[in-house]
Amino acid sequence: MTTPSASRTPIIGGNWKMNTSAASATALAAAVSAGCGDALNHVQVAVFPPFPYLLAVGAALRDAKSGVLLGAQDFYHEKNGAFTGEVSLEMLADCGVKIVLTGHSERRHVIKESDELIAAKTRASLAAGLRCILCIGETIEQRRAGETDAINERQLRSALQGIPAAQLAGLVIAYEPVWAIGTGVNATPDDAKNAHAHIRRVLGNLYGQAVADATPIQYGGSVKPSNARELFTQPGVDGGLIGGASLKAEDFCAIVRAAVPDRT
Ligand code: PGA
């Protein structure tokens, strides 16, 4: 049994990846704040700019008073010290960051982050009191081999190891099939519904039904204005993590509006 998703506030993330400039990032933040309007009262929205633009985007979001959260795409889990090139959670919090990503497929498969590193980052971010969107999902080969549920379960168990239930209020899961990210090919609404149901069952086995019912699970992978509503109205799909379509305020806001729950 799944509690109706209406009991969880939908959450939409705009992952800008390695895109934008100082000027276009602040303009995009302002346009998203203004363009999403009333939908921001019903959907939690966060944007994830590149590191160099965090302060400027944070200022633009504060000026707009829209409630859009400032997010960071990555960080290192150690507190401070000799870690050349890395950025700590404390530094990010200092810049106004409220939410971070872990386990994104580009970090798993392009940057080659290990399960251990993803677990350390997930653990550190929740312990620091930030929200964390933990991304999981199977490759096309794994899907063809019928391993979707097994991969999601393995990635989930590995990333959550050692995290106490008391810290899970900050957790969001993003189910992102790797073959759907940036490809224009999205999971069918049924694929998403089934994967989300399995992920919620695993959460229930690990932490109990109340935690499973309270944890938002986003879908990610080629979400666009034309497919967002059908995906977000599936039971157990609580919004999405958006890449390409988050770089155009008009498209991103249309996706945010598609996540507003029906008022029935
Ligand atoms: P996409 O990216 O929307 O461009 O497919 C999704 C993501 O990487 O989270």
Side-chain angles (χ1 to χ4, degrees):
M1 281 266 301
T2 317
T3 301
S5 42
S7 65
R8 296 178 292 270
T9 303
I11 172 163
I12 303 285
N15 177 7
W16 298 354
K17 307 190 179 181
M18 202 169 72
N19 295 296
T20 68
S21 63
S24 71
T26 47
L28 182 54
V32 164
S33 297
C36 292
D38 180 53
L40 295 174
N41 296 324
H42 308 283
V43 179
Q44 178 73 74
V45 175
V47 294
F48 299 80
F51 283 143
Y53 309 139
L54 280 173
L55 282 176
V57 168
L61 295 176
R62 258 195 323 279
D63 286 352
K65 296 190 175 57
S66 59
V68 173
L69 297 179
L70 182 65
Q73 298 173 23
D74 189 34
F75 58 93
Y76 198 57
H77 57 283
E78 297 287 353
K79 284 207 178 330
N80 61 282
F83 302 103
T84 301
E86 295 297 335
V87 169
S88 73
L89 287 161
E90 207 170 302
M91 293 169 187
L92 292 178
D94 216 12
C95 295
V97 167
K98 305 286 185 213
I99 181 165
V100 293
L101 302 180
T102 60
H104 191 279
S105 78
E106 286 145 23
R107 300 219 55 95
R108 289 181 192 268
H109 299 289
V110 183
I111 315 289
K112 308 286 182 212
E113 280 194 9
S114 65
D115 286 345
E116 290 70 30
L117 182 58
I118 292 163
K121 289 183 174 189
T122 306
R123 206 162 47 237
S125 61
L126 292 172
L130 290 171
R131 291 197 83 181
C132 175
I133 302 182
L134 166 65
C135 307
I136 59 174
E138 82 286 3
T139 63
I140 191 64
E141 293 77 20
Q142 291 164 337
R143 165 159 288 255
R144 286 191 186 124
E147 293 170 359
T148 298
D149 286 346
I151 293 296
N152 283 334
E153 178 157 357
R154 190 183 60 69
Q155 292 183 351
L156 200 56
R157 285 180 180 274
S158 157
L160 295 179
Q161 214 163 28
I163 299 179
Q167 286 176 5
L168 286 199
L171 181 70
V172 178
I173 311 281
Y175 168 57
E176 300 208 295
V178 178
W179 46 273
I181 296 178
T183 57
V185 181
N186 59 282
T188 66
D190 257 5
D191 289 339
K193 181 180 72 185
N194 294 336
H196 284 226
H198 183 256
I199 291 165
R200 210 175 293 286
R201 268 197 301 278
V202 176
L203 273 176
N205 291 339
L206 286 171
Y207 289 103
Q209 199 57 40
V211 167
D213 285 341
T215 305
I217 305 178
Q218 302 175 304
Y219 168 78
S222 298
V223 177
K224 32 193 183 266
S226 57
N227 62 18
R229 185 82 193 152
E230 205 187 358
L231 286 160
F232 298 162
T233 49
Q234 296 305 310
V237 177
D238 308 310
L241 186 56
I242 319 301
S246 71
L247 294 170
K248 262 183 77 183
E250 198 185 327
D251 286 356
F252 186 64
C253 290
I255 291 169
V256 170
R257 281 192 291 277
V260 174
D262 282 333
R263 270 167 264 194
T264 46

